[in-house]
């Protein structure tokens, strides 16, 4: 499911209630109602298990959360000590405090790497998007926010093809 914003919430709940697994490509459903989604899945799975039917699952298929989910194929959420979410820091990464006080929305819209649309670019520039991803990870992996760390990094691409 790749329905952006709150519009994805009702379809997600109805899909769960219908006993279907969800490949989730949007964070908003879990940010808005992660607790509710998890409760609905547990409730439906209890019913499905009782009737000896396949259990439903939630598959995160977007970015870092998918990689984390895939790494759990050989483990359990209870074994997670810490999850690291990364970000570039956006257009304000190297600004000093005095410069940050005079920045405008237009400055935020000048992402150094790509054009993602205005709302996502503003969320990325202000790191609000990472905040959403922290909330999403909490509900997807049933962990505490204290187990999630955001790392701002600088990426380098070398002429020989390597990345750091």
């Amino acid at each position: 499911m790749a329905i952006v914003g709150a519009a994805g919430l009702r379809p997600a709940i109805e899909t769960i209630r219908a006993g279907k697994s969800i490949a989730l490509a949007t964070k908003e459903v879990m940010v808005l109602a992660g607790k509710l989604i998890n409760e609905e899945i547990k409730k439906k799975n209890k019913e499905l298990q009782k009737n000896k039917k396949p259990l439903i699952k939630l598959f995160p298929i977007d970015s870092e959360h998918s990689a984390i989910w895939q790494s759990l194929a050989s483990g359990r959420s209870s074994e997670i000590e810490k999850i690291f979410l990364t970000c570039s820091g956006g257009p304000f990464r190297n600004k000093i405090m005095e410069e940050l006080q005079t920045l405008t929305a237009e400055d935020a819209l000048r992402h150094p790497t790509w054009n993602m649309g205005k709302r996502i670019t503003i969320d990325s520039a202000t790191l609000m998007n990472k905040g959403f991803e922290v909330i999403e990870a909490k509900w997807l992996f049933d962990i505490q926010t204290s187990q999630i760390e955001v790392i701002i990094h600088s990426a380098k691409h070398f002429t020989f093809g390597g990345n750091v």
Side-chain angles (χ1 to χ4, degrees):
M1 176 180 2
I3 302 171
V4 179
L9 187 53
R10 183 175 297 268
I13 291 171
E14 293 304 321
T15 301
I16 293 165
R17 289 179 179 165
K20 307 291 182 191
S21 291
I22 300 175
L24 194 61
T26 176
K27 69 179 67 59
E28 289 90 346
V29 168
M30 296 309 285
V31 170
L32 290 169
K35 182 177 181 181
L36 174 65
I37 294 295
N38 288 343
E39 288 170 352
E40 288 288 330
I41 289 171
K42 285 177 188 172
K43 181 174 147 186
K44 188 64 180 183
N45 277 344
K46 200 178 237 186
E47 176 190 319
L48 291 169
Q49 190 172 31
K50 185 177 169 183
N51 295 320
K52 298 187 180 180
K53 294 189 177 183
L55 302 181
I56 60 171
K57 295 180 181 171
L58 183 63
F59 304 101
I61 59 171
D62 188 31
S63 72
E64 293 171 289
H65 294 77
S66 181
I68 294 163
W69 172 74
Q70 290 175 54
S71 73
L72 289 173
S74 63
R76 297 180 302 276
S77 289
S78 61
E79 296 172 327
I80 294 174
E81 183 175 339
K82 194 166 278 270
I83 286 175
F84 297 94
L85 300 176
T86 62
C87 63
S88 69
F92 305 149
R93 182 177 193 280
N94 295 315
K95 301 288 184 195
I96 60 173
M97 188 58 79
E98 290 78 23
E99 292 173 303
L100 291 174
Q101 294 173 5
T102 62
L103 293 172
T104 66
E106 286 304 314
D107 295 322
L109 289 169
R110 282 190 222 109
H111 194 284
T113 310
W114 52 73
N115 181 357
M116 304 172 282
K118 288 183 178 182
R119 187 192 65 82
I120 295 172
T121 300
I122 293 291
D123 285 352
S124 177
T126 60
L127 298 183
M128 190 69 210
N129 192 55
K130 273 308 142 180
F132 293 149
E133 289 182 7
V134 167
I135 296 166
E136 179 187 19
K138 173 199 179 356
W139 294 115
L140 283 173
F141 307 117
D142 190 28
I143 62 173
Q144 300 300 310
T145 54
S146 61
Q147 294 174 272
I148 305 166
E149 187 171 327
V150 175
I151 299 173
I152 299 174
H153 65 86
S154 72
K156 305 285 186 240
H157 180 74
F158 294 95
T159 54
F160 59 83
N163 294 307
V164 179

